[in-house]
Structures are given as structure tokens and as C-alpha cells.
Amino acid sequence: MKTVIRPYGDTTGDGMTQVSFTLPLPHDKKAEGAALQLAAKMGLEPAMLVHAKQMGDGFTFFVIYGSVRHLVELDKVVVVERDFPLLTAKEVNTVVKQKLRRKLSVVGACIGTDAHTVGIDAILNLKGIAGEKGLEYYRELKVVNLGAQITVPELVAAAKAEKADAVLVSQVVTQRDAHLHNTREMSAAFREALPADKRPLLIVGGPRFDELMTDELGVDRIFGRGTTPREVASYLVHALITNKAERKKAVAA
Amino acid sequence: MKTVIRPYGDTTGDGMTQVSFTLPLPHDKKAEGAALQLAAKMGLEPAMLVHAKQMGDGFTFFVIYGSVRHLVELDKVVVVERDFPLLTAKEVNTVVKQKLRRKLSVVGACIGTDAHTVGIDAILNLKGIAGEKGLEYYRELKVVNLGAQITVPELVAAAKAEKADAVLVSQVVTQRDAHLHNTREMSAAFREALPADKRPLLIVGGPRFDELMTDELGVDRIFGRGTTPREVASYLVHALITNKAERKKAVAA
Amino acid sequence: MSSNKLGLDPALVHRARALAAKAGRPVVDMARSHTTVSVERAVLRLSGVTGADPDGIPWVNRLVDAVRNDVGLGHGVALPVFHALAEHGLEPTGAELTLLAQKAAAGSVRFDLPTGKAVTAAKKASRRQVAAGIKLIDRNRADRDKMIKRYGDPKQRPWIYLIVATGDIYEDIPQAQAAARAGADVIAVIRSTGQSLLDYVPEGATREGFAGTYATQENFRLMRAALDESSRELGRYVRLTNYASGLCMPEIATLAGLQRLDMMLNDSMYGILFRDINPIRTFVDQRFSRQIHARAGIIINTGEDNYLTTADAVEAAHTVTVSQLLNEYFAHEAGLADWQLGLGHAFEINPELPESFRLELAHALLARELFPDAPLKWMPPTKHMTGDVFRGNLLDGFFNLVGALTGQGILLVGMMTEAVVTPWLSDRDIALQNVRYVLGAAGNLHEDFVPAPDGFIQRRAHQVLDEAIDLLEKIEDDTLLNAIADGTFGIMKRPAHRGKGLDGVAKHDDGYYNPATEILETPGKEQQ
Amino acid sequence: MSSNKLGLDPALVHRARALAAKAGRPVVDMARSHTTVSVERAVLRLSGVTGADPDGIPWVNRLVDAVRNDVGLGHGVALPVFHALAEHGLEPTGAELTLLAQKAAAGSVRFDLPTGKAVTAAKKASRRQVAAGIKLIDRNRADRDKMIKRYGDPKQRPWIYLIVATGDIYEDIPQAQAAARAGADVIAVIRSTGQSLLDYVPEGATREGFAGTYATQENFRLMRAALDESSRELGRYVRLTNYASGLCMPEIATLAGLQRLDMMLNDSMYGILFRDINPIRTFVDQRFSRQIHARAGIIINTGEDNYLTTADAVEAAHTVTVSQLLNEYFAHEAGLADWQLGLGHAFEINPELPESFRLELAHALLARELFPDAPLKWMPPTKHMTGDVFRGNLLDGFFNLVGALTGQGILLVGMMTEAVVTPWLSDRDIALQNVRYVLGAAGNLHEDFVPAPDGFIQRRAHQVLDEAIDLLEKIEDDTLLNAIADGTFGIMKRPAHRGKGLDGVAKHDDGYYNPATEILETPGKEQQ
Ligand code: B12
Ligand code: B12
Ligand SMILES: Cc1ncc(COP(=O)(O)O)c(C=O)c1O
Ligand SMILES: Cc1ncc(COP(=O)(O)O)c(C=O)c1O
């Protein structure tokens, strides 16, 4: 496969791209020029301003098409690839039973003022999602789903009470970076409440997270759009059992 | 007014922008990473990849939202502002009659293989557009509309025969830059066929032209999306009569 | 539009209504025999207590807490408060009541239950004072009527309802005005995510909500004033909506009446199901809040649409119908007229499902024909919206078309970015353009829409009604509270004695007195 | 779908058809008494002449030009060519005919009209040779039937028709295959902008079209082979379309038959109106090309949709109807069966116009009910599409809905980028998703769509039919050629003796002989 590619409109290498945005300007030639300036800064060259519509007094919406001059360098793409094997429920149960020799304890919640439970329920509840059963279905996992709008202190307390091996937190509302603030608050609270070796594995999930931000947010793993329960279960087994040695090392360092 | 602005999603300065494009990759994590890399190069930071859909074997369509970090510098916006007064039909006729003292001769056509005549007809034909009558309505203008798919030699010949003061050319098809090639061919042919002082004013129009490209294309003026006949008539009077002195100077230089 | 395109059997419809009344009655009885901190705070707000302590806790909260501490809530706060007022030589005015609250907070007032003549005096004083508050509400209603007369109602049905959700009232205002100018008939200011679980109403103009702006009296006032300006400008009365649901339902309802809001989200079960608020607390609060809305001429919007975000829109279609019937019963009981019932339902069927559009038509038409005189609030697709905004705008168009074909009263405008962000300015503009196109181009297509006799649409509607009746029978048998506990609505299981805010509920003691309820339940005298 | 939702008066419909026949008859007579360079070249192509000179001018052109130079076209080329062949001791095979062309181009052959027995010999030889060509067409038709039997037709009506337009056959192929995989039933390869005015058909595989790919025999072959592969893969016969219209209509029609294309754009007036091709040239070419299509089992697509890009879709609605009736008449006359008539019409009413959607329904349903057995080609909005691609996708959705509600046969899929670019890969995908949603969700809604008796839709349809009859009366009076000259269709004025290609027309002399016409007009013998 080539390592340098460009967007494709209808011909290889044409770089064709569509952009839309609003500028806080009434619609006139100058505003169109401003929109084209921005398109140029974004790398569209040449750019066609194909639609402009004034909204109210002082805003104009633009649609621009054009060829973007940037190259996509595939060898420099950074992603969180799944670095653990995808197990079946049976395999997960077997590993937990044979290696951990007790039930693996999971506490889940939707924290802060966020009340979107459908995502965390999809991961935890029996019903699951996309044809996969949720973690409750796994015989060797003990799941406590605290539900929505749980405060961080409540969550820490529950994690302690349940001797949680892993804490799963969902965040769906992202306006003003609510999800990032809440996650940071949560991970800080766990760091404060528990010594590193007693701290549960911290996992957050939600449709708008950047999976690369684990370090910045102080969590062990981030799951994004379209996560399935099996992926999470497999990761739990990997991080808490199969790969425990490495984890210990990392913590010590 | 501020001279530096940013796109507006729902809060002043948030920079919010929408982008979509296709990459020639099957859909997987790596492809999403590639899309995000491109978004970053376009200046979206942070960028949310909100939609990815594989099409066929080897292509994936992406929709990305995010805050674009570029600033729009209003004082650096370059546009072709109307630099001539907008006249009524009556005023146009009066100026032509009093100053030119003969009918102003206009030849129009859609050149090359382009057969989109609606645009040039809107400018030239009686019927006009957007409630404004076309140039045929102007008593003091003599309009010859050659129609579609006119070759450049045919156009030059007609311009000579009609002693055209101005030649109006329409180009709508832009695939593979057809409009640019045809316009360059046309202006080169006029340069070759006629000495500078005999050459008619060359005007091109069409929905996808960049109005700033006059020099590159060797024409006097470019009219874009939504042009009205009155603008064109006013420009003709300005360029050929009112402002003739300047034009002569420019030609001499 | 009051047609009979579905050929519903009137006897069946009557039976469904009767069952809903039977199922709802015990809950009403419960609501009539309990009060809550928020009901009592609402009474104080009607009496003119305003403002908050330096920590932002409203004086109504401090006062109710103090009374409760001293004598409990079982008699209501009116008697102990107005009794204390008299005892301390204060005048029965809002200002002096607020002073009393401050003193109480400082610990310099103790409350007692009056006895003998003092009871009559306290009752009279409190009733007079609350009546003054209700008079303000009445005046607002009259003002609204006048403005509607002057500026006119929207030319078309459905009314176009748009959401504003920046979190900052000062960003909300220009956006709301722009939306109105672009064609919105109703503006809803979405609330910050945390607010419904706050057991107090924040104060003042606010700028820091998350995914919504705090509902405060001042924000209400600012936005209503801005929309009055827009109404004048546009020659069309632009309505304002906010959310009553939550732990402060009665108070927010009251503030809405005091600031001339025009519609309020007010559902009998939303708080229970989607905010895990205690069911008893909710039902008690709900009844009072609806009495206020009835008086204020406010149109309520119920929340059945939400069920379809957690449950499947086809499987659970009948639960929407059941809930609408219950909401209707509770609303009538609280004094609301049919024109005030913006019963909710939504376009939430998986668009991949064959015949999904016709199923939507069946459901929407069923609601329309069951409640011919209610405006009905028609909610756009949310659950099956994705980041594919092009597809999103298309689905919204078909949603709008169902709205037009089935004569919905209030069309909540869908946003193509539903799955992405709270609406941007441009999203709203694109969405309104969508609505305008559909209503302009196909607004009268209902004349040519005739569900085939015994065809797909009719059969589906009949099936949903049958399922609704079956479910109502079960509920009547087993009680509504148990049904809620079992996850009947939105698959959310909410036992009657769990959830937030139960500690704010008190059973009426003998001699419970609430001047507001008294006035609201015997209309005529104070009402002009 | 053959319903009577409009309550059209059968007598009126009959009258409209009779008028069209009367108006069309003189044009048919003219076509029967003239030939053109392209008709004659088509005869040579059927005889097996292939290839081009080093400048890319096909040998059929060189040969026809040589014959014309020597003896004119009035007797057709068959006689002089096969006579010369015999004279030069060449065999009547494609290869030797091509050799003859090369010799003629080199000036080493002179053509004469045969006389006496030589006439019979030349006739016989040419007829045998052309019959072989037509046999190939027949075989392709049989192959198509077999493949349809094996792979099946699309499951749904309308068939989904998608355009590919890169200009490069090797980019077109993967895009066409991707489109087929994504659900396209018919792939149309748009032609390069200049081709229709070329008086020859380019040769070979081409990569440099503007906004379309050249129609060449080799490009046809490559694409048909690719789609055969897709048909196998998908278990559904994927049809291929190209454009016959233009100066080479008869030849391209022939090549389409020879390469098993399945549909062809073939309108009686498109070339006249939109390419300024001479009317007589067009009508002569058109008749021959349609006879070929009839034989090849190819479905034609007419071009009434185009009128609505230059004329107003409401004002000119009846001109579409008139043109459909004329196209039907000419098609029947040329031997096409009803199932081969993809008569065109379009969703081109200004979407800002009140009731625009219902007007579209009225027009589309009128076409449907006037031509109950024709597949009808339903064209998407183009003129009122703008750079607002979000709105564009919405309009396309409502266009798709009209298609489903009125039982259109062939749905040309609209692109949200219509006003911007020739379709991108992603545009096609978004467009197909749109179609799938509408057909899946509302494909059967026509069952519930019953235009109100004497309501808006019925009245509009009746009005358009009345206006069409009025116009046909005028045309019959004044001749079709004059009507065209007056700008009746698409506001384009095209006098009968102006326009391109008139010099390629010749009146039949006595003894004109065309073996292809002879075979095509007496079917049965050669046809299997
Ligand atoms: C359903 C829904 C609701 C329901 C929630 C019901 C419930 N019990 O959850 C109701 C109607 C109550 C609701 C209310 C509100 N909502 Co809401 N809602 C949605 C909606 C339509 C769907 C969300 C959903 O259920 N997705 C399906 C699930 C399965 O997907 P998911 O959450 O992404 O989860 C998957 C992955 O992300 C991942 N995952 C998620 N969490 C976790 C956790 C872990 C540990 C792991 C491993 C994985 C994981 O795995 C899941 C399965 O694949 C979205 C719009 C949309 N179409 O996305 C808006 C949306 C999320 N809501 C929104 C808002 C603003 C609200 C309100 C705040 C509006 C208001 N002010 O009134 C309220 C209040 C809610 C609150 N306090 O939080 C916004 C958020 C905007 C933003 N980006 O900040 C959205 C995007 C709509 C919008 N455009 O405005 N909402
Ligand atoms: C109508 C139309 C046709 C009609 C044309 C009829 C006719 N007699 O003109 C028909 C049906 C024949 C047609 C055919 C084709 N079309 Co066409 N057509 C359109 C359509 C729908 C509208 C164009 C239009 O009339 N606009 C209205 C006029 C008033 O606007 P305008 O041209 O922009 O003109 C204004 C200004 O630009 C300016 N202006 C324009 N010219 C001039 C000149 C001067 C001197 C001045 C001062 C101003 C000026 O003033 C005008 C008034 O404001 C567009 C899609 C769209 N919605 O834009 C496609 C479109 C232009 N067509 C397109 C194509 C590809 C074709 C075909 C090549 C397809 C094919 N291969 O078969 C054919 C062949 C045409 C050819 N040989 O050129 C593409 C071009 C793609 C591109 N960017 O390269 C478009 C964009 C559609 C698409 N997305 O594929 N088409
Ligand atoms: C009936 C009802 N009440 C309230 C809300 C909003 O509640 P909150 O402010 O708690 O998010 C909704 C949400 O859509 C609702 O439908
Ligand atoms: C009937 C018909 N023929 C031909 C064409 C295309 O012609 P050209 O290849 O000349 O652009 C069209 C365009 O849509 C058409 O409708």
C-alpha cells in the first residue's frame, strides 16, 4: 500500500474535500473573501465557495469545496490499536476462574451531571449491544452499575466497598469539555484516595473521546464510538490478569 | 469591527467547523487515524471524527467536526470589490449615447464544448434574470449572442465582424479546469488576432470562476455566481467609456 | 385537524381513557395528601420571597428548611411562616417575608404552629399574600393574550419549536432572536445538565451551564423580554419554553408563571424515569406545578418521546400511548384544558426498518386521533441520528413530513448534528430551512393522505391501541407505582421508595394548609 | 402500477394520442425519405467495418465520404460499396470492407452505382453482410435475456440509475462497480462535453473526456464486461446506459446493440434543442437509431427533463407531456414496444413555490397514468440545486419520494453536489443511501396516497393535460418543425434549416437501398 495518499473526489490524487462553517460577518463580497482566506489556510487550493447564506444580522454560513494540498502520511498515523486478543465470553470466564481465582469486580457509572446511561448500560447490562451480551452476562465478573449522575466521591466509595478491580466511567456530554473535566476529577480522586497498587483499573468511554488521551486524563484506557462489551471484557482480562506483570512494572516506574 | 475573527459554532471564538472527505482506504482504526491526521493538518484541533463509512472495497468517507485554529484576518482579505458605479438602464443608455455616440457592440458566446447557455442568456437576452432585463433590453447596446459550443476562431471572427467593443464568454463546465483552459485559449487568440488597441474588452463569467484570476487568464474582468445584467452593463460603460482614459494608459504601459 | 382516518372504535378509545383514569386515581389521591419542600417553597415564592444567601441558596430554601426543622412540613409552611411574621411584628409583604427568612437563617426566629384565632389570621394573611402572587400570574396571562391579539399567532400549524443551548444566557439571547427571525414560533432554552437534581433554583443571570443554561427567574425574564422585542419586530408572538421537571418542578412552574413563559416541559414521569427522582416526590410536585400552569395559561409538553431513546420505538409504541393517556388524566385533574396539552411523541423508529415511515405515520396519527384537541408535541429523530449529517438532514425532512401529514401541533425542529453537538447557529438555520421547505411544499398533502382501509397504517394503529389497553389493564390491576418499578416506561426500573428527593416529601397532617392550592382549586374568585 | 388516481377522461387521453400521431406523421414521412451520413455509416458498421485511420477518423467515415464524393448519398452506400467490393475482387466480409475503405481513402477506388444484375448482387451481398451484424445484435439480446434469467432483475421498482462521469474509462469502471455494489441497478456513463457534435465516433479506450467519458465501442465493451462481472458477483443483472443523441445517433445506437448495452438516451428532439443539431438530420437519425434499439431490446430514455432546465417547470409542464406523446408516437412507429419507453420527466419545480411537492406529484402521476406500460425515467432536481449540499440531499429525498408515490420505473439518482461538481464517489454513496431510505421506509406509501377527488393534485393534472391538448392542436395546425422553430420546447428556437449537420442529410433518390432498414422493417425472418 502507498504510504502517502490524498482525499479522493472522483480521481486518484485529486484531494477533493468539503468544508462548512459560519463566520460572524454579514454576507458580502468581503465575507466571501474571508471565507476563502480561511479555506486557503486550511489548505484548500483552489477553493470554490459554492454556498453562502446570511443568518440573522451578523453571521454567514459557507460551504466550500476544493482540493486540499496536505498529504496524508500513513506511516505517521498514530492510533490506539487493539493490543490484546479478543476473547469469547467463555475464554474470559476461564481465564478469570483459573488465573484470578475469584470474581473480577467491576463498578460502572455515569459521573458528574451526565445522565446518558445508554452507553454504559450497553457495556454492562445483560442486554448488551450489537448482538453482544454485556458484562453482567459473564459469570466470572461481578458487575455493579451505579447508574447516572453519580458524584466522584460516591464512585470512589463504591469502588472501595466493592473492592473494584476496574472502574468503568461513561461520559457523553462534551460541551465545554465536560467529559474531560469530569474524567480528570475522577482520576485525581482515585489517585488521592488509594495507593497506586490498590487503585482499580480506570476506564472511561463515550462517543467523543480521543482514545490517545489516556495520559492526559490519568486513566488506563479510553473506549470510543461503537465499543462492544467483548472488547471491554477482553481488555479487562488482558490488563488485570494476563498482562499484570507489565502493569505492575509500569506502576513501580 | 474586529479585524481577527474565527468561525462560530455556538459561542464567539469557538472556531467550529465541519469537514468531509473520502480517503482511498478501507475502514479501520488506521483509516480513522489517517482522517484525523488530515484534519489536524487542516488545522482542526481538537477534531472529532463523527462518521466513517466504507464505500466499496477501498474507500472510506469521513465527517469530522472540530475547532479550527486558524484566524481569519479581515484586513488581509483580498476581493474584487465593485469599483464602478451601478447604473440604471437609462443611465447606461444615456452615457453610451452622449459619450460614445454610437451603439456599443457586444458579442457573447459559450465557447469550447460547453453548452450551458442559461448563464450567458441570463446576462444577454431580453428576459434577463432576477427581475433584471438582459443587455438586449438596453437600447444603446448592440448584442449578438452566438450561443453554445462556439469555437475560439468562430468567436474571434464574429468579434471582428461585429466590431465588438466587448466580448462576453461563459464557461460553466469546470471539470479538469476546462473553463480555465478555454479562457486562456480565447484570450491568447484575441491577443494574436488583434493589436492591443483594437482588442475588445474581454469578459468571462460562470459560477466557478475565481474573480481574482484576471491576469492569469488574460481577461479584463471575471464575473461569478449570481451576476446580474445591470452589473455587467455598468461595468461595460465604466471600462469602455467613463474610465477609458485609464484603460488606454494601462494598455500603453 | 380532527379527522377519522384510522377508523378507531370510539368505544375502545373511551375504554382506554377510563382505564387511565382508574390507574391514575390512586396517584392523585397520594398527591393530594402530601406536600414537598418544593411545593412549600413555591408557596413562598408566590408570597413574594425572593433572592438568595451569599452562597446562592435561595431564601425560600432557608425559610422552608428552618420551618421544617422546627415544626416539620406536615402542616405546610404558610401557617408557621405567617404566624411568625405576625409574632415578629413584620408586615405580610414579600420584602418582610424575605427579611423573616434571613432572620430564620441566622437562627433568630423559631417557628411554631399557630392555634386558635392565630390560625385564621395566618391563613388570611397568607392567602392574601399568595393571591397577590397569583394575580401577577393572571396579569401575565392577560398580557400574553393581548400580545397574541396584537402580534398574532403563527400563520401555520405545526408551530415551529427550536432549542437554544449555549449555557450562557447572553449567547442564548441573540441566537434565540436569530432563530425567531428565521421562523421559529417557540424558543426553548435547554437547561444545564445538572440542574434538575438541584434542590433549589439558582438565582440571577447565568453564563456557565453545560449543554444548557440554568433556569433562573432572571434568565426567564431576560429571554422573555428579548422575545417580546422579537415579537414586535416580527409581528408574531414568539413563545418561550423552559423545563419544569426536576426537584424544583413547583417552583420553576411558578417562576414561569411569574415571568410569562408560554410553554413548559412538564411530564408526570420524566423525572422519575430519566433523573431517578423519587416517584412520590415527582407526582406530588407535578400536580402542584400543573395547577400553576393551568392558571398561567401555559401549555405543557410531556416527555413520552424520551421513552423511545431507551426502549425500541416499535416494541414500546403502546407505552407512549399509555403514558399520553395518563398525562392527559393527570393534566385534566390539575385543571389544564385540552389546548394546553402538548403531549409528546417522537420519530424514533430505526430508519433501516422496512416501512419505518409508514409505522411513524401510524403512530403519529394514532396520537392525533386519540387527542384531537391537544396540540401534540412532535419530536424529531435523535437515537438513530449519527455523525452522517447529510443523512441526518434527510431524516429530519421525513420527520417534518410526518408532522405535516398528521397535523401535529408543535414541531420540535430536528438538527442534523443531533449525534454530534448541541445545535450550532447554522444547524438551526439549516433545520428551519428544512421545515420551511416541507411545510411549504407539502404542508397540505394531508388532504391526499388516506390510509388504505384496513391497510398497513390502520392495522398498525389499531394494534398499538389494543396493546395500550392491555397494558392499562395490567397497570390498573397492579398499580402505576409498581408498573414504574417494573420498568414499564423506557425500560427504566424505578421503585416507589428509591430515587432522589424522597426526604423532601411530607404527608399532610390534619390542618395542613396551602393557600396556593386553595386558590388554584377554587378558581373564579381571584381569576379575572 | 396501473391505477386511475387522477380520474383522467379516456376520451381526452385518446384524443391527445391521436393528435400526437397527426403532428408526428409528416416528420416520419420526411425521415423515411431521407438518409444521413451517420445512417450510412451505421450500415457499414453493421457490415463489419471497424477501426480508424491514423488520425483517429473511423474507416466508416472515410468510406462514406468517398462514396458521397463519387456518387452522392441519395442511393445509400450499400449498393456502391458492395458493388465496388465485387469489382475489386474482395470478399463481402468486414475485414475486406475495411480494406476497401482504406483503399478508397488512399484514392485507389472509385465508386459507381451498379446497374442491372449488379444491383441485385450488391443488394444480396450487402443484405447478407448486414444481416450478420444484426444477428450479433440479436445474439446480444438473447444473452441479455439469459443473464436476466440467471441473475434476476432488480427486486424493486423503480430501478436505481446512477451516473458515472470521470472522463476516464479506467476510473469509471471501479466507480461503476462500486455503485452497483452499493445498489445501482443501472449505470450510465456520461459522455464528454464535446462528443455529441463530433461527426464521427472516436475509437478505443479513452481517458481524457471533460465531465464525461467518450462513447466508443471499446469503452462500451470494457464497461459491459465489468458490469457482467458485477452482475455475477451481486446476483442481479446490472444494466448499462449510454447516449445515442448527437450527430452519430445511428452509429452509437448500433454500437450499443453490438456491445449489449441495455438502455440508451435517445430523444427525438434533444439534439435539436440542446445541441443545435439540424432538425431534419436529427429526425432522420433518430428513426434509424430507434429501429436498432427496438431490435436490440434496448430501453430508450427520452429527454423531456431537459426542457425544465431552461423553461419553467410549472409553466412548461404541458410541453413535457406533448413531447412525451410525440416521443411515444415516434418510438412506436420505429418498432419500440411500450416496455422500452423510458419517457423522461423531472422534479424541477422551484422548491420555494407553495405546494411545489404536490405539483410535482400531479405532474409525475399524469405521466404515469398517460403511459401506464412505459417504465418512465424520473429525473432529479438540478436547476434549483445550489451549493447548499445539505438542502440538496433533502430535495433529493423528496424527489425520491415522488418517484415511489407515483410508481416511476427508472429513478435517476440525484446528487447533493449537483450544482458543484460531477458526482464524487461519496456523493453517489450518500445519494444511494437516500434512495434506499426512502424506498425502504416509504416505498409502499403509494397505497395510502389518494389524491383528493377534484383536489389540488387532480385539478393540476387535468389542467396540464388540457394545455397539452391545446398545444398539440396548434402543432398539428402549424407543423412540428415550425413549433420547434418557435421555441415551443425548452424555449430553444431551432429553425428547420439551421443547426449543425444539415450537410450530412440526403434525400433518397429512386432506388435508394438500405439493407439494414429493410431487415429492421420486416422483422421475423432474421430475428430468432
Ligand atoms: C438517548 C439520549 C438522551 C436520553 C438519555 C437516556 C438515558 N437514560 O441514557 C435523554 C432523552 C434523557 C437525554 C437527555 C439529554 N441529552 Co441526550 N442524547 C441522547 C442521544 C439521542 C443518544 C445517546 C445514546 O443513547 N447513544 C447510544 C449509545 C449506545 O451510544 P454511546 O453513548 O456512544 O455509547 C457507546 C460508546 O460511546 C461506548 N461507551 C459509552 N460509554 C462508555 C463507557 C465505558 C466504560 C466504555 C468502555 C464504553 C462506553 O460504548 C457504547 C456502546 O457502543 C444523543 C444523540 C445521539 N444520537 O448520539 C443525545 C445527546 C448525547 N444528548 C445531549 C444533551 C445535550 C442532552 C441534554 C443535556 C439536553 C438537555 N439540556 O435537556 C439532556 C440531559 C441529559 C443529561 N443530564 O446528561 C447531547 C450532548 C451534546 C454534547 N456533545 O455535549 C446529544 C449529543 C444530543 C445533542 N446533539 O444535543 N439524552
Ligand atoms: C441547466 C443545466 C444543463 C442544461 C443546459 C441547458 C442550456 N441550454 O444551458 C443541460 C441539460 C443541457 C445540461 C447538460 C449537461 N450538463 Co449541465 N447543468 C445544468 C444545471 C442544472 C444548471 C446550470 C444553469 O443553468 N444555471 C443557472 C444560470 C443562470 O447560472 P450560471 O450558469 O451560474 O450563470 C450565472 C453566473 O455564473 C454568471 N455568468 C455565467 N456565465 C456568464 C458569462 C458572462 C460573460 C457573465 C458576465 C456572467 C456569467 O451570470 C449568470 C447569471 O447570474 C447545472 C447544475 C446547477 N444546478 O448548477 C448543471 C451542470 C452545470 N452541468 C454539468 C454537466 C457535467 C453537464 C453535461 C456535461 C453532462 C453530460 N455529460 O451529459 C451535459 C452536457 C453539457 C455541455 N456540453 O456543456 C455539470 C458541470 C460540472 C462541472 N463543474 O464541471 C453541472 C454543475 C451538473 C453536475 N454537477 O454534474 N446541463
Ligand atoms: C418532559 C421533560 N422534562 C425535562 C427534560 C429535560 O430535563 P433535564 O433538564 O433534567 O435534562 C426533558 C428532556 O428532554 C423532558 O422531555
Ligand atoms: C436525451 C438526451 N440525450 C443526450 C444527453 C447528453 O447529451 P450530450 O452527450 O450531448 O451532452 C442528454 C443529457 O442529459 C439527454 O437527456
Side-chain angles (χ1 to χ4, degrees), chain C residues 162-209:
Chain C
L162 266 187
I163 275 177
V164 167
T166 69
D168 178 340
I169 187 69
Y170 295 108
E171 295 273 352
D172 285 343
I173 287 176
Q175 297 206 10
Q177 291 187 318
R181 223 172 278 137
D185 301 312
V186 184
I187 298 289
V189 181
I190 295 285
R191 278 192 316 199
S192 176
T193 49
Q195 180 164 13
S196 44
L197 297 187
L198 298 180
D199 211 342
Y200 65 91
V201 182
E203 279 284 323
T206 69
R207 316 196 61 163
E208 56 273 306

Side-chain angles (χ1 to χ4, degrees), chain B residues 18 22 51 53-57 59 61 65 113-115 117-118 121 127 148-149 173-178 181 208, chain D residues 165-168 181 193-194 197 207-212 275 309-310 390 419-420 422 425-426 429-430 491 500:
Chain B
Q18 173 271 335
T22 296
H51 176 64
K53 167 144 191 294
Q54 183 162 328
M55 301 174 293
D57 280 343
F59 294 91
F61 178 64
Y65 276 78
T113 57
D114 199 330
T117 52
V118 179
D121 287 351
K127 192 179 162 201
Q149 299 193 321
V173 174
T174 60
Q175 212 203 25
R176 302 191 183 198
D177 290 337
H181 297 142
R208 297 285 163 261
Chain D
T166 70
D168 177 341
R181 223 173 278 139
T193 48
L197 296 188
R207 316 195 60 162
E208 55 275 304
F210 278 109
R275 291 295 169 272
T309 67
T310 48
F390 304 103
V420 184
T422 42
L425 187 74
S426 55
D429 198 75
I430 289 169
I491 340 184
K500 291 146 188 155

